[in-house]
Amino acid sequence: MKSYTLLLVFCLSVLMGCTEPIRPEFDFKSGMVLVEGFVSTAPNGSFVKINTVNEFNIGTNSYENVFIGGAEVSFINTDTGDVVALIEDTEADIYIPPVDFVAIAGQTWELDILLDDGRQYKSLPETIMESVPISAIGVTYKPELSFNVELDDFAPGHSILVDFEDPPNVENYYYWNYRSFEFRDICVTCHIYRIYRDGTCVLIGSEIPPEVELVHPYQTYYCENDCWRIRYNQNIKIFSDKFTNGSTIERLPVADVLLYTKKDILVEVQQFSLSASAYEYYETLKDLINDNGGFNSPPSAALIGNIINPNDRDEFVLGRFTAAPAETARIILERDDVEEDQIEIGLLAPEGTWQEPRIPPEEYIFEAPCPGESRYNTSIRPEGWPTN
């Protein structure tokens, strides 16, 4: 096994709390568990991700993070003893609480995980502090917003900016997430000699003819009802008031929204107030994510936060459980005057495009419903979306 020099951020003693991060040598092994858990006061802002890291995928000839499904995952309110069971979202490879779940400032939460092989993981308790409101939100467009690893080039997009009043006489640490909503025209795409029937993509006939990918690559189906696609940030934005304590913060860049399409979109920004230890973790994670190209990349260094295996204290568990308050602000991005090309190239191919003789024209279908409510799609009009 190849040896890597890895950054280990860990607590030397559960009872004594965290020490400063140190950098030992570590023999990295595939199969280590990575947990990212978040409890928030924002609706739909709480989640847990569980992965094994750097598993080798023979098909792609690369190392990848692999989602661990089938786990029993719960948030535990240590003040009341209430247990909130999370539900596995197999489409998004994530565990989420019930849709009406929101935490409250002042509450203390823990994370509990039981894998189907019997391994158990628990977090240290985290208390939610008071939030800092966003006083204003703005945007600026940049033809070269950020470097995109997949494009191997700089990509255009919008930088979201916020103003807020930093509370004086106390150290404050901030972290931002966003999600964007864009109206979908196409709700289903069926690939390689398949068509949409009875809620799924099915093969035309009993087999795929030779070289059919060249002449029949896909079919597209318009949305039969209102539908929005949801995207999330792919990098980390954090800020410490070490040099600005008690100041008015103006036009601070907190989100990079790439020009995937030229459709107008709604961006919902969440501003979290972190503890010092959570900030140190995300500061390290920020460097790793930005170096490796996004949240889906295996970490090039280990991150050990506040999660342990209570039955095996020698096991290193990567990741962190964070409880934080959130303030939300929304803005519509109008893109009519953008000159740069959009990143995604979408080609329409309704049934009949490829003139498939096995499907008579009178049986063509051109529409499909919005995919079910999920982390990435919704048919419910987002708050802040224009009504006209």
Side-chain angles (χ1 to χ4, degrees):
M1 182 65 63
K2 187 175 181 180
S3 178
Y4 294 79
T5 300
L6 303 176
L7 173 62
L8 299 183
V9 182
F10 63 94
C11 294
L12 291 180
S13 169
V14 171
L15 298 179
M16 295 297 292
C18 290
T19 64
E20 293 296 315
I22 64 175
R23 288 171 165 80
E25 295 289 322
F26 187 75
D27 185 27
F28 184 72
K29 297 180 180 180
S30 296
M32 295 180 69
V33 174
L34 168 65
V35 177
E36 291 293 333
F38 216 96
V39 161
S40 170
T41 58
N44 303 311
S46 303
F47 65 88
V48 173
K49 297 179 181 180
I50 313 172
N51 291 275
T52 54
V53 299
N54 279 22
E55 290 286 342
F56 187 72
N57 186 319
I58 297 177
T60 61
N61 194 35
S62 63
Y63 287 91
E64 301 175 352
N65 292 348
V66 178
F67 174 69
I68 300 177
E72 296 179 15
V73 183
S74 58
F75 296 143
I76 301 174
N77 186 322
T78 62
D79 302 317
T80 64
D82 291 341
V83 177
V84 178
L86 276 66
I87 304 164
E88 181 178 342
D89 184 336
T90 55
E91 177 190 3
D93 287 347
I94 199 170
Y95 294 88
I96 54 177
V99 293
D100 59 350
F101 172 79
V102 289
I104 300 173
Q107 292 179 335
T108 300
W109 292 88
E110 292 179 347
L111 172 65
D112 186 84
I113 297 172
L114 180 64
L115 302 187
D116 61 2
D117 63 6
R119 283 180 292 170
Q120 184 181 17
Y121 300 103
K122 298 182 71 69
S123 75
L124 300 181
E126 285 264 311
T127 300
I128 302 176
M129 58 186 66
E130 293 296 327
S131 60
V132 176
I134 297 172
S135 56
I137 186 169
V139 62
T140 183
Y141 176 75
K142 295 183 178 181
E144 294 185 349
L145 177 63
S146 64
F147 188 81
N148 186 284
V149 175
E150 294 180 359
L151 298 176
D152 194 27
D153 198 359
F154 284 91
H158 292 81
S159 176
I160 308 299
L161 317 168
V162 298
D163 299 352
F164 58 92
E165 297 290 335
D166 182 69
N169 305 319
V170 62
E171 294 179 347
N172 294 285
Y173 304 95
Y174 303 92
Y175 169 75
W176 289 270
N177 276 341
Y178 82 79
R179 57 178 182 168
S180 64
F181 298 84
E182 63 192 56
F183 203 76
R184 295 185 61 156
D185 294 320
I186 300 299
C187 271
V188 172
T189 299
C190 294
H191 296 277
I192 310 178
Y193 211 60
R194 287 172 171 80
I195 56 175
Y196 183 77
R197 294 294 186 274
D198 298 323
T200 189
C201 293
V202 298
L203 194 65
I204 302 174
S206 58
E207 59 182 14
I208 300 177
E211 300 181 358
V212 74
E213 295 181 35
L214 300 178
V215 296
H216 198 298
Y218 60 89
Q219 308 269 16
T220 58
Y221 298 84
Y222 294 101
C223 298
E224 66 181 26
N225 57 322
D226 287 350
C227 190
W228 288 264
R229 177 174 180 173
I230 308 172
R231 302 182 196 262
Y232 296 84
N233 49 292
Q234 289 297 307
N235 56 17
I236 288 178
K237 298 289 187 178
I238 54 176
F239 179 74
S240 166
D241 70 350
K242 181 177 181 179
F243 302 107
T244 58
N245 190 278
S247 301
T248 298
I249 308 300
E250 297 180 328
R251 296 183 66 79
L252 180 69
V254 298
D256 295 335
V257 183
L258 299 183
L259 189 70
Y260 290 109
T261 77
K262 289 192 175 183
K263 293 178 178 292
D264 293 350
I265 64 172
L266 169 69
V267 179
E268 179 184 273
V269 173
Q270 295 174 336
Q271 176 172 289
F272 299 94
S273 297
L274 300 180
S275 64
S277 59
Y279 178 82
E280 290 178 3
Y281 173 85
Y282 282 106
E283 186 177 35
T284 303
L285 184 61
K286 175 179 181 292
D287 294 336
L288 300 181
I289 296 248
N290 292 350
D291 287 344
N292 285 291
F295 284 112
N296 295 325
S297 300
S300 61
L303 280 167
I304 297 193
N306 60 353
I307 299 174
I308 63 169
N309 180 337
N311 304 310
D312 184 1
R313 295 301 180 94
D314 293 330
E315 179 181 359
F316 288 114
V317 184
L318 310 183
R320 193 181 199 284
F321 171 68
T322 300
E327 291 286 339
T328 301
R330 299 174 180 85
I331 189 170
I332 293 288
L333 306 187
E334 298 180 350
R335 294 170 156 178
D336 294 341
D337 58 348
V338 172
E339 296 180 357
E340 282 70 31
D341 293 334
Q342 65 186 43
I343 296 173
E344 292 184 347
I345 300 175
L347 300 177
L348 299 178
E351 287 191 14
T353 300
W354 313 116
Q355 298 181 346
E356 169 55 48
R358 301 189 190 188
I359 310 175
E362 62 270 18
E363 295 182 9
Y364 287 163
I365 292 177
F366 301 102
E367 295 182 334
C370 182
E373 296 296 314
S374 72
R375 184 173 170 82
Y376 299 111
N377 296 283
T378 183
S379 58
I380 301 172
R381 180 183 296 272
E383 182 178 352
W385 189 268
T387 56
N388 54 357

